[in-house]
Amino acid sequence: MKHDKVKLGFIAAAMMNIGGVLVFSRAFTNSVINEFDPVVMSNFGLLMIVVWGLAYLGAAFIESNVKWLAGAFAIEKLVYVIAWVVWFTEHSLGTVYNKDLFAGVFYSIYGLNDLVFMLFFAWVFFTQGKKVQGS
């Protein structure tokens, strides 16, 4: 049962990365996202988020221990959470919403999404390989 939860979690993380970027960036054509964070959220940066999503998807189908892979993913998500918090200290979300609704929603939720999946990947890291009671 635990493997099914892990697999579904990895698939959900993949879909959020891939789908989220493609929807909110309007398939990399929403320049407002780039404008408000030209380093992390450049089109190259957004493409790399999609690539991370592909890595999560690939990891979902690994049948053996993914402890250290999940640990690396947790650290990667931590970096994005920190980038998001720093972004909020330097920008006004209202200004983004005034320029583009999709960009505003993107900047509102991406860090929270990354926090949730960081916790999921950390959970996998800390529990992978341990015998779960009742399974």
Side-chain angles (χ1 to χ4, degrees):
M1 179 64 164
K2 183 179 174 202
H3 176 71
D4 290 339
K5 289 179 187 175
V6 171
K7 181 176 183 175
L8 290 175
F10 276 91
I11 291 170
M15 294 302 100
M16 291 301 290
N17 268 46
I18 298 165
V21 165
L22 292 177
V23 168
F24 291 110
S25 75
R26 294 185 189 99
F28 305 103
T29 65
N30 187 345
S31 62
V32 177
I33 290 175
N34 312 134
E35 175 186 334
F36 281 92
D37 194 343
V39 175
V40 177
M41 296 303 167
S42 65
N43 276 347
F44 178 78
L46 293 171
L47 177 62
M48 290 299 96
I49 293 170
V50 170
V51 170
W52 277 110
L54 294 172
Y56 307 150
L57 188 59
F61 296 96
I62 295 174
E63 297 289 330
S64 60
N65 189 319
V66 293
K67 175 183 179 99
W68 293 102
L69 188 55
F73 291 161
I75 293 168
E76 175 260 339
K77 288 296 188 188
L78 175 62
V79 169
Y80 279 98
V81 170
I82 292 169
W84 183 67
V85 169
V86 169
W87 185 89
F88 264 97
T89 66
E90 300 171 353
H91 295 86
S92 165
L93 198 52
T95 305
V96 182
Y97 272 101
N98 286 337
K99 288 197 110 179
D100 182 76
L101 175 64
F102 276 41
V105 172
F106 177 83
Y107 279 106
S108 295
I109 65 173
Y110 97 77
L112 294 175
N113 174 74
D114 286 344
L115 176 64
V116 167
F117 285 107
M118 179 192 75
L119 295 173
F120 165 73
F121 291 135
W123 170 77
V124 172
F125 175 78
F126 287 114
T127 62
Q128 185 76 44
K130 292 181 182 176
K131 183 171 171 72
V132 178
Q133 222 173 355
S135 59

